[in-house]
Amino acid sequence: TERKKFHTAPVGQVFRLRPFHVLVATGGGYAGYRKYEDYKLEQLEKKGIEVPVKLASEWEVALYKSVPTRLLSRAWGRLNQVELPTWLRKPVYSLYIWTFGVNMKEAAVEDLHHYRNLSEFFRRKLKPQARPVCGVHSVISPSDGKILNFGQVKNCEVEQVKGVTYSLESFLGPRVSTEELRFSQAPLGNSFQQQLVTKEGNELYHCVIYLAPGDYHCFHSPTDWTVSHRRHFPGSLMSVNPGVARWIKELFCHNERVVLTGDWKHGFFSLTAVGATNVGSIRIYFDQDLHTNSPSYSKGSYNDFSFISNNNKEGIPMRKGEHLGEFNLGSTIVLIFEAPKDFKFNLKAGQKIRFGEALGSL
């Protein structure tokens, strides 16, 4: 008959599932369920209803972490680099603008056809007058975003949202050696928090800013300071939206992050850029050696880089409002710094803030 013969595999082989596939499917489904739960919590918050804290159990965190978010984020990054046909750019970007409420009137280039790919659109620059930098207050917001939490650091614990904390030492990592910092430090016998406070009468403060996908994705120097050290923690890339931050304890310690430490006029100062799902790429403009979400780095480790050298005894000086870095979509900035006891934040938890506006002052 000259008909081709077709061979079929046993049913058991066709439907054979590998453990990796089961983890991806289960973890992905659970992540979708959590997104829905987050949406319901946001609706309750908008109505002014206080939401009780309900922390994830260990198995829930493990299940969420089973989703290959690092691999997916790298794939998303490559997709963002694909150049779009000119005729397709306006419809794609317009959908994004409508979904996330982007204000293109603030963009340095308003013409959507100018942006060749999604990555360029995400990292769009603003008009110079769009974000005036406050000259009166000593610390300004380094980015656009939502204030998740702020206040004094107490008992070596920092609040990521109200009622949910993480360890200060786990977040920043072991103390940087004295040789790499220009200011003196407390004796090793004191607590980690006390070791960061360099001047008598000072306290340690923190502020957490969440960048939504529709926000301006660059971040700037929040004050006049000198950056002396960078510590990169490869890690997970779980979502850092307020709903997940309220659900997973020490979320910021699980995720990939870049910690910049140094000093300002009152002592210790640090800015940490925390990665998230689809935000594996964190760029620091003056640090060409930094490569985030790289398969060459394993989770659970960290790598250090000092900006103090024989040719540069001071580190990297940054002026308030100066461009510092950027995310590829949106994520979180955490400031931890030393200041006198009369330092006051001019903030409310949950408020929207824009780059250049005051965070607090003496």
Side-chain angles (χ1 to χ4, degrees):
T1 61
E2 297 184 356
R3 290 183 179 179
K4 293 182 178 179
K5 294 181 179 180
F6 293 91
H7 298 273
T8 58
V11 175
Q13 292 183 13
V14 173
F15 293 99
R16 182 180 299 167
L17 293 175
R18 297 180 180 179
F20 175 77
H21 299 151
V22 173
L23 284 174
V24 171
T26 308
Y30 193 74
Y33 165 74
R34 288 307 313 173
K35 285 286 186 181
Y36 173 67
E37 290 293 312
D38 296 341
Y39 171 77
K40 291 198 299 184
L41 289 176
E42 288 177 6
Q43 298 306 306
L44 291 174
E45 285 183 340
K46 288 180 180 179
K47 295 178 181 178
I49 301 174
E50 187 173 348
V51 181
V53 174
K54 183 181 178 182
L55 293 177
S57 61
E58 290 185 8
W59 72 265
E60 288 178 307
V61 175
L63 186 57
Y64 191 3
K65 292 176 73 173
S66 70
V67 181
T69 50
R70 288 167 61 86
L71 179 62
L72 293 173
S73 296
R74 285 196 288 270
W76 175 254
R78 291 177 182 174
L79 179 63
N80 287 349
Q81 299 292 334
V82 175
E83 184 169 344
L84 297 176
T86 305
W87 62 269
L88 188 59
R89 294 175 188 176
K90 188 171 183 179
V92 171
Y93 302 147
S94 295
L95 177 61
Y96 186 91
I97 290 168
W98 176 79
T99 303
F100 296 109
V102 178
N103 184 4
M104 283 302 293
K105 291 183 179 179
E106 296 178 332
V109 180
E110 296 184 40
D111 182 11
L112 298 180
H113 297 101
H114 169 80
Y115 303 100
R116 294 173 298 176
N117 52 49
L118 284 166
S119 182
E120 286 189 2
F121 179 72
F122 293 148
R123 296 180 288 107
R124 63 193 176 277
K125 299 298 186 289
L126 299 181
K127 294 174 182 175
Q129 67 274 20
R131 296 289 187 276
V133 175
C134 176
V136 178
H137 297 274
S138 55
V139 184
I140 62 168
S141 175
S143 66
D144 289 6
K146 178 181 180 180
I147 301 295
L148 293 190
N149 215 302
F150 62 92
Q152 281 190 23
V153 177
K154 297 179 180 179
N155 302 320
C156 294
E157 292 280 326
V158 186
E159 282 193 314
Q160 57 192 30
V161 294
K162 185 178 180 181
V164 182
T165 63
Y166 57 94
S167 163
L168 177 66
E169 186 169 5
S170 297
F171 181 68
L172 295 179
R175 191 181 68 156
V176 178
S177 64
T178 307
E179 291 75 16
E180 295 184 15
L181 298 178
R182 297 193 305 166
F183 53 86
S184 61
Q185 294 187 334
L188 285 172
N190 294 340
S191 71
F192 184 81
Q193 178 178 337
Q194 292 172 327
Q195 291 173 25
L196 298 181
V197 178
T198 64
K199 299 179 181 178
E200 187 176 352
N202 281 3
E203 297 288 348
L204 207 60
Y205 298 86
H206 74 100
C207 182
V208 183
I209 305 171
Y210 166 69
L211 289 75
D215 288 327
Y216 169 55
H217 300 312
C218 296
F219 51 93
H220 300 245
S221 176
T223 192
D224 295 334
W225 66 307
T226 301
V227 184
S228 55
H229 186 270
R230 178 259 291 164
R231 176 168 284 156
H232 170 217
F233 289 86
S236 301
L237 289 172
M238 295 184 283
S239 172
V240 292
N241 73 52
V244 178
R246 187 184 294 108
W247 179 56
I248 297 180
K249 183 178 174 64
E250 299 203 333
L251 172 64
F252 299 155
C253 297
H254 290 296
N255 272 17
E256 181 141 1
R257 60 197 182 278
V258 176
V259 182
L260 300 178
T261 55
D263 64 291
W264 69 319
K265 60 183 179 181
H266 298 297
F268 174 80
F269 199 97
S270 73
L271 180 149
T272 302
V274 183
T277 307
N278 295 335
V279 198
S281 175
I282 302 171
R283 182 183 175 194
I284 304 298
Y285 294 137
F286 58 75
D287 189 354
Q288 302 302 316
D289 295 321
L290 176 64
H291 300 286
T292 57
N293 195 18
S294 170
S296 59
Y297 295 121
S298 59
K299 291 190 290 185
S301 62
Y302 66 85
N303 53 84
D304 287 339
F305 184 85
S306 175
F307 299 110
I308 304 294
S309 64
N310 292 331
N311 297 325
N312 181 11
K313 300 290 187 181
E314 300 296 318
I316 307 295
M318 297 296 301
R319 304 294 296 175
K320 183 168 66 174
E322 186 178 350
H323 277 85
L324 182 54
E326 62 187 36
F327 293 110
N328 223 9
L329 186 58
S331 194
T332 298
I333 295 287
V334 179
L335 302 179
I336 298 175
F337 57 93
E338 174 185 359
K341 291 182 178 180
D342 56 350
F343 180 87
K344 299 295 182 183
F345 284 102
N346 303 316
L347 302 171
K348 292 181 179 179
Q351 78 172 70
K352 291 289 291 183
I353 198 166
R354 305 203 303 177
F355 155 61
E357 294 179 347
L359 287 184
S361 63
L362 298 170

